[in-house]
Amino acid sequence: MGNQNTTPFQSLKALPTPLSQSQCVLYKHELLICGGYNQRTCYSYHTIKNEYMNICSYPNNVKLDGHCVVKLIDNNNKDSNEITLLSFGGDKNNRHTLVMKYVSVWSNDNNNDNEINTLNNYNKWIPFTDNHNNPIVIGGDKDAYQGARGLIGGKNNNLLFITYFHKNISVFDLNKFQFIKHDNLPTDYIGYHCFVSKPEMIKNNKNYEMILFCKKTGLSIIYDEDNNIFQFNQLSVFDDISSFRNYAYLCINDIILLFGGIHKYSIRENKWMTFQNTLSNPLCHCVAILNEDNAYIHIIGGLNDNTKSVLTHTKTKVRIELKVKKEENKTVKKEENKVKNDNIFFVDLKLCKCKFDMKEKDEQIRKKEQSENNINDINDINVINIFSFVFFFVLNIYLKKKGKNKWMEWWNQREQKDKTEIIEKFKIMSNEQFGLWLLNECKWKNEITKDDIDPIRFLLNTYISFVITNQDNKEDELIAYVIMDEKKKLIKMKELTFEELLRQTYNCLESKSFQKINKENLKLQLVDIKNNIIESDESVKKEFANNNEPIFKIIWTSFQQQTILGKTKTIKNALVIMIAISEYDDNNIWKNLKNVKEKDIHNFKQLFEQELNYEIVYNQSPKMTKQDVQTFLAKLIVNYELHENSHKYDGLIIIICGHGENGNMLVTSDGKDVSIDRIRSSFNCHEMESFKDFPKIFIIDACRGEGIPKTHEIVKRGNDITYGHNDDGFLVIWSTTKGHQVADLSLLSECMKNVVKSKYKSSYPFKQMLQDIRTEIRSNKSSEWYCVESQDTTDYDIIFQQRKSM
């Protein structure tokens, strides 16, 4: 193993289409890939699921050639569930300036049907307009924006900085919708270049600072917003990259990485370094981007040696130690206008080895590494001791400079279990979440103030980098994550066995989980990210083969399940029929039901069509008169040959959503009534003999009277009440009881979708799911509008099974 040549770059699922010159923006767990050279389609890549989903396409009249996409920052928008993207580029003959309001195409909370997105202008490129809806075009007739780069900055994040061919820089005010500054850069040429903001952590004034690299040009750009002037300072450029262009780049802390070969530039030290690790297939015109927690770098698309766009998508850990190939210290002479860094102490925690003025020891270590491929345990201990010494030495210097050296003593006084908890929270949480946990939830919250958060974060970063990382490398543990109660927890496994996975999962359970197990007589079941059950060594090994750090989820199943099941029937090929009425002619009497259209249809389609792969038929129009309902059902019975059951359905699921009245009546759009009992009777054993031996499930979300339910505290759950019925084989589920109204909240469809999707793969019985659905509804703040009632004439339980595609 010691001589094996390995690469830290992991290949991911291929792109849906070959891409080069693409633009990519991060949004939570998604990488938004916004077109590419002559490719107008935009995709969302889910970093956890390793899947792509189509978002939209640029308009047909837009030709993409070196365009630029940036994420706008709205300081007044508190909605974290949407972002706004700005796309611009082209020349005078083919220029575009477009915006897109994006909401996740993966979200269960948003109905992403085309009709809804069109109504709200979500997930589509539309013209960029001013406050009076006048179209705004960024760029003049003589401006060539192919290969331009843009950054959002300024005191209020309202300024767009554009650098473009052949040596231009402009500032566009997004509030005033006009350019406020043009200038020439002190260089001969730029294009398809590196252009990044200087990190906040090393700024020492209120001006906005940027870094630019292109071929032999290196510039520090400082913009004085108050006086509207630029200041340019020359930066050193590594000889090896002076002939390169069109490379991917990104900035991490004070480190700029350029990909092709891999080159690192330290902003603080003004130093370059080259690494041995390179992409397996060097590319130009690719794009590099960090994921949400800065744990991985993703490299997307590019051109190969034959100048063809590729399907390549790779990633690499940020925390890996890239092996140093050679180092060039090219320190620029300190000039009077150069920003001083005397008061800044920074350690490159992630990507490269720290450098100390201990050249002799460094040289000894490097020679030893070259001559020995397998390091023995004694050397491992020495390395860890060295890193431990460096950790405490570095940390003391930093904390003393900050006047926060008390936190060094505080950390040393913590017990190991406390340190483990803090480190786990730090790794899993975002910076904001970790800060809130320190201030409001942890056991030391009364000792910690807001000013203490940064020193604590620095302490943990350094500790993990110097001590934990080297210990992890020594032990060669296998990393995975387990999701429980929507929280992602890290686990480390010694071996690839199901027993080890189960053991480590139980180790990270909280006390409330064990209380739940005892109280509700549950057992823990592990599934993968696609809800496939994990129950063998082979399934564990398969997950690790597909992903270096796989993610597992916990679902709970009942130990009583076997006794509850008794006689069962499994539905493998159901026909799902949905009548969803959301719009009414007389809104003074019957209000339109927005959520029937926007949520119920989406939820039930996602469950039965997308997840279970059943055939679903529903009315396309939001309006249905009484005649429409009768015609819809009559045609459906004939067209799908239900009397003969030619399609070999083994179950019927009928869903009815809309306004209702006393007597189990459905109110149609013209204000007339249709008897739900009559609809049900048309599928009974006498009228539909071909289905007499199959389960028939009715799901009805409609009012059953005028009574408004009152909320009350549930002290103890009573026995389930069932209602007899003359017909056999029916399970009728109502969202409320007789005589009561139900609100247009879509809680029944949402909770049913969530519960069934999470449990059906473990053969969890549907009648038991109903109890879980009731429990989930009751946990909602609007639960008083719902009281799920079931009428059951079956003598068996029902198991859902995904239909196999023909």
Side-chain angles (χ1 to χ4, degrees):
M1 294 295 290
N3 293 320
Q4 188 174 359
N5 184 22
T6 61
T7 174
F9 293 94
Q10 174 189 348
S11 296
L12 300 175
K13 186 172 183 179
L15 296 168
T17 187
L19 285 174
S20 61
Q21 296 184 12
S22 186
Q23 292 287 286
C24 200
V25 175
L26 174 67
Y27 172 67
K28 297 184 178 180
H29 291 300
E30 300 175 52
L31 305 182
L32 308 182
I33 305 170
C34 301
Y37 178 72
N38 282 342
Q39 287 286 352
R40 291 192 297 267
T41 308
C42 303
Y43 302 93
S44 168
Y45 171 78
H46 201 291
T47 57
I48 296 177
K49 299 180 180 180
N50 191 26
E51 294 287 345
Y52 302 86
M53 190 175 292
N54 185 289
I55 301 174
C56 67
S57 293
Y58 279 82
N60 291 334
N61 63 337
V62 172
K63 181 179 179 181
L64 299 181
D65 183 3
H67 67 303
C68 182
V69 177
V70 294
K71 178 168 64 175
L72 301 184
I73 302 173
D74 185 353
N75 298 323
N76 298 317
N77 184 9
K78 306 302 181 183
D79 186 1
S80 62
N81 293 320
E82 72 174 59
I83 59 171
T84 302
L85 307 181
L86 172 67
S87 176
F88 63 96
D91 55 26
K92 65 178 182 180
N93 298 317
N94 184 39
R95 190 181 305 284
H96 77 270
T97 307
L98 303 169
V99 292
M100 174 167 62
K101 289 193 297 182
Y102 178 76
V103 293
S104 177
V105 292
W106 304 90
S107 174
N108 293 333
D109 298 327
N110 297 303
N111 183 350
N112 290 308
D113 291 339
N114 290 333
E115 182 178 356
I116 302 303
N117 288 337
T118 300
L119 182 64
N120 295 285
N121 280 332
Y122 285 141
N123 299 357
K124 62 182 292 188
W125 290 110
I126 61 174
F128 180 50
T129 60
D130 62 17
N131 296 330
H132 303 289
N133 211 30
N134 298 311
I136 300 295
V137 176
I138 296 177
D141 289 342
K142 296 182 179 181
D143 295 332
Y145 278 175
Q146 292 97 330
R149 302 294 189 240
L151 295 172
I152 298 295
K155 297 176 182 177
N156 298 313
N157 294 310
N158 64 304
L159 301 181
L160 172 62
F161 296 85
I162 308 172
T163 51
Y164 57 101
F165 180 82
H166 57 103
K167 56 178 181 178
N168 298 292
I169 183 168
S170 299
V171 185
F172 186 90
D173 192 322
L174 294 165
N175 291 340
K176 298 178 180 178
F177 303 99
Q178 65 183 23
F179 283 102
I180 60 174
K181 181 70 174 178
H182 295 282
D183 211 336
N184 290 327
L185 298 168
T187 183
D188 295 325
Y189 170 87
I190 60 168
Y192 298 98
H193 49 284
C194 168
F195 188 41
V196 300
S197 298
K198 194 170 184 180
E200 294 290 338
M201 60 185 294
I202 56 175
K203 290 181 182 178
N204 65 350
N205 56 51
K206 296 182 180 179
N207 295 332
Y208 188 68
E209 302 179 47
M210 298 152 278
I211 302 290
L212 183 148
F213 289 111
C214 184
K215 303 186 76 172
K216 296 182 180 181
T217 298
L219 292 175
S220 169
I221 304 170
I222 302 174
Y223 178 68
D224 183 343
E225 188 171 349
D226 294 333
N227 298 305
N228 195 21
I229 58 174
F230 280 111
Q231 177 184 339
F232 307 107
N233 298 318
Q234 297 288 339
L235 299 175
S236 64
V237 177
F238 195 35
D239 290 340
D240 283 11
I241 71 163
S242 60
S243 60
F244 290 176
R245 57 173 295 193
N246 307 335
Y247 40 70
Y249 63 92
L250 54 79
C251 185
I252 311 171
N253 295 333
D254 91 322
I255 300 300
I256 296 175
L257 291 179
L258 308 180
F259 293 84
I262 302 181
H263 305 277
K264 167 213 155 183
Y265 173 75
S266 172
I267 299 173
R268 187 188 69 84
E269 298 175 344
N270 193 19
K271 292 180 180 178
W272 285 94
M273 182 179 291
T274 299
F275 298 100
Q276 288 179 341
N277 305 108
T278 60
L279 294 169
S280 56
N281 296 304
L283 302 169
C284 66
H285 285 305
C286 54
V287 62
I289 187 170
L290 287 165
N291 71 340
E292 184 181 36
D293 58 5
N294 293 343
Y296 286 95
I297 299 170
H298 288 253
I299 302 172
I300 296 171
L303 294 177
N304 60 19
D305 292 338
N306 298 319
T307 66
K308 299 292 186 182
S309 297
V310 298
L311 297 166
T312 305
H313 182 178
T314 62
K315 73 175 182 180
T316 185
K317 278 186 182 179
V318 173
R319 63 175 287 181
I320 63 173
E321 280 193 16
L322 295 173
K323 296 180 181 177
V324 179
K325 180 180 180 183
K326 58 182 177 178
E327 178 177 344
E328 289 284 333
N329 292 334
K330 295 197 172 183
T331 306
V332 177
K333 293 181 180 179
K334 294 185 178 180
E335 301 173 351
E336 292 181 358
N337 61 355
K338 189 174 185 297
V339 177
K340 294 183 179 180
N341 292 306
D342 293 342
N343 62 333
I344 298 169
F345 186 87
F346 177 79
V347 178
D348 181 3
L349 297 173
K350 298 293 184 183
L351 279 157
C352 65
K353 298 177 179 178
C354 288
K355 297 169 283 294
F356 308 96
D357 294 328
M358 300 187 295
K359 295 182 179 178
E360 293 182 3
K361 288 190 176 182
D362 274 351
E363 188 63 26
Q364 292 173 6
I365 292 173
R366 279 196 292 271
K367 287 180 179 179
K368 198 167 188 177
E369 288 175 343
Q370 290 172 1
S371 62
E372 297 181 8
N373 290 316
N374 297 315
I375 302 174
N376 58 35
D377 290 342
I378 296 176
N379 288 335
D380 281 340
I381 294 171
N382 288 335
V383 171
I384 292 173
N385 287 337
I386 291 171
F387 273 91
S388 298
F389 166 77
V390 172
F391 163 65
F392 291 112
F393 175 75
V394 168
L395 205 55
N396 269 309
I397 295 175
Y398 173 78
L399 293 177
K400 283 180 180 178
K401 283 179 174 285
K402 293 293 184 180
K404 298 290 183 180
N405 51 323
K406 68 172 184 178
W407 292 109
M408 189 70 186
E409 299 176 5
W410 177 86
W411 179 256
N412 290 335
Q413 294 169 1
R414 297 309 102 202
E415 295 181 4
Q416 188 57 45
K417 64 177 183 179
D418 291 334
K419 290 182 179 180
T420 301
E421 179 187 5
I422 296 169
I423 291 170
E424 182 181 341
K425 296 289 186 184
F426 180 71
K427 286 183 176 180
I428 294 173
M429 292 179 171
S430 66
N431 289 339
E432 182 179 358
Q433 291 171 332
F434 183 69
L436 292 174
W437 178 78
L438 286 175
L439 293 173
N440 302 320
E441 298 181 30
C442 76
K443 64 173 73 174
W444 313 279
K445 60 185 178 183
N446 294 329
E447 306 172 31
I448 299 172
T449 67
K450 188 175 182 181
D451 293 336
D452 298 325
I453 293 175
D454 284 342
I456 294 174
R457 286 180 52 233
F458 179 86
L459 181 151
L460 292 170
N461 248 328
T462 313
Y463 184 83
I464 292 169
S465 181
F466 285 122
V467 182
I468 301 297
T469 299
N470 287 278
Q471 291 174 347
D472 287 349
N473 290 340
K474 177 176 178 290
E475 296 172 0
D476 196 25
E477 291 171 318
L478 300 160
I479 302 297
Y481 293 91
V482 175
I483 297 177
M484 59 184 74
D485 299 327
E486 299 183 352
K487 295 179 181 178
K488 185 178 176 182
K489 296 197 174 185
L490 180 144
I491 60 172
K492 296 179 180 180
M493 298 171 57
K494 303 290 186 182
E495 55 185 6
L496 284 178
T497 63
F498 176 68
E499 181 181 357
E500 174 68 3
L501 174 61
L502 204 58
R503 181 188 299 114
Q504 298 302 332
T505 302
Y506 272 103
N507 286 342
C508 62
L509 289 180
E510 299 176 358
S511 58
K512 64 179 182 181
S513 297
F514 289 103
Q515 293 173 2
K516 182 176 182 178
I517 290 172
N518 294 330
K519 185 177 180 180
E520 301 180 31
N521 199 19
L522 301 175
K523 68 176 180 179
L524 181 149
Q525 178 83 62
L526 287 169
V527 298
D528 64 15
I529 200 66
K530 296 181 179 180
N531 291 324
N532 297 311
I533 295 175
I534 304 296
E535 55 186 358
S536 66
D537 293 350
E538 288 71 23
S539 58
V540 173
K541 291 176 182 177
K542 181 180 178 181
E543 285 302 303
F544 275 89
N546 294 333
N547 193 332
N548 286 339
E549 295 183 358
I551 297 174
F552 301 95
K553 296 190 295 185
I554 289 178
I555 61 174
W556 301 104
T557 60
S558 174
F559 273 116
Q560 298 176 344
Q561 182 170 326
Q562 296 303 316
T563 58
I564 293 173
L565 284 176
K567 181 180 177 183
T568 64
K569 289 191 178 183
T570 301
I571 298 179
K572 302 178 182 178
N573 180 33
L575 176 64
V576 182
I577 303 166
M578 185 171 184
I579 297 173
I581 303 176
S582 59
E583 294 183 8
Y584 291 80
D585 295 338
D586 190 346
N587 290 158
N588 293 323
I589 301 176
W590 306 106
K591 301 293 184 183
N592 290 338
L593 301 174
K594 177 183 177 182
N595 284 328
V596 169
K597 177 180 179 181
E598 295 186 2
K599 292 186 178 180
D600 285 331
I601 295 176
H602 174 72
N603 288 334
F604 284 122
K605 282 183 65 180
Q606 192 175 65
L607 171 59
F608 292 116
E609 183 179 51
Q610 298 176 23
E611 181 67 32
L612 290 167
N613 201 26
Y614 296 163
E615 191 169 3
I616 184 169
V617 186
Y618 64 97
N619 53 294
Q620 298 298 315
S621 171
K623 284 188 174 184
M624 290 189 81
T625 65
K626 181 176 182 177
Q627 182 64 44
D628 291 336
V629 173
Q630 294 171 340
T631 302
F632 172 78
L633 290 171
K635 287 185 177 180
L636 184 144
I637 291 171
V638 173
N639 293 340
Y640 286 82
E641 302 173 341
L642 296 188
H643 285 294
E644 298 81 17
N645 195 15
S646 303
H647 299 282
K648 306 298 182 184
Y649 298 119
D650 56 10
L652 280 175
I653 302 172
I654 296 93
I655 305 165
I656 298 174
C657 299
H659 279 298
E661 285 192 309
N662 276 321
N664 298 342
M665 306 298 289
L666 172 67
V667 180
T668 55
S669 296
D670 53 358
K672 298 180 180 179
D673 294 337
V674 173
S675 171
I676 294 174
D677 290 337
R678 185 168 297 177
I679 294 175
R680 179 197 48 73
S681 65
S682 64
F683 295 96
N684 65 21
C685 297
H686 176 71
E687 297 293 334
M688 196 72 64
E689 189 173 353
S690 57
F691 281 84
K692 67 178 180 179
D693 295 324
F694 301 131
K696 297 170 280 289
I697 302 172
F698 269 70
I699 303 168
I700 304 159
D701 194 356
C703 296
R704 303 178 72 185
E706 299 297 324
I708 298 177
K710 305 293 184 182
T711 184
H712 67 284
E713 182 180 359
I714 300 174
V715 179
K716 183 178 180 181
R717 187 179 299 170
N719 295 326
D720 293 341
I721 300 174
T722 57
Y723 298 85
H725 206 286
N726 291 330
D727 294 338
D728 288 333
F730 281 96
L731 176 59
V732 182
I733 302 162
W734 295 87
S735 59
T736 190
T737 52
K738 286 185 178 180
H740 290 97
Q741 299 180 26
V742 66
D744 182 27
L745 300 173
S746 298
L747 273 183
L748 179 62
S749 65
E750 181 71 22
C751 294
M752 185 173 291
K753 176 194 69 174
N754 293 340
V755 171
V756 175
K757 284 182 67 176
S758 67
K759 295 178 180 290
Y760 82 93
K761 287 188 177 181
S762 61
S763 298
Y764 201 82
F766 184 52
K767 293 178 185 177
Q768 183 68 21
M769 289 185 196
L770 285 180
Q771 186 58 46
D772 297 332
I773 292 167
R774 293 185 181 101
T775 301
E776 184 166 332
I777 288 176
R778 283 170 182 159
S779 66
N780 189 283
K781 62 183 180 181
S782 301
S783 61
E784 68 269 16
W785 286 99
Y786 290 79
C787 183
V788 177
E789 177 184 279
S790 59
Q791 300 170 346
D792 185 9
T793 63
T794 63
D795 60 352
Y796 48 81
D797 214 325
I798 299 168
I799 305 296
F800 290 123
Q801 185 172 315
Q802 191 178 66
R803 181 175 70 93
K804 295 182 180 179
S805 300
M806 302 302 290

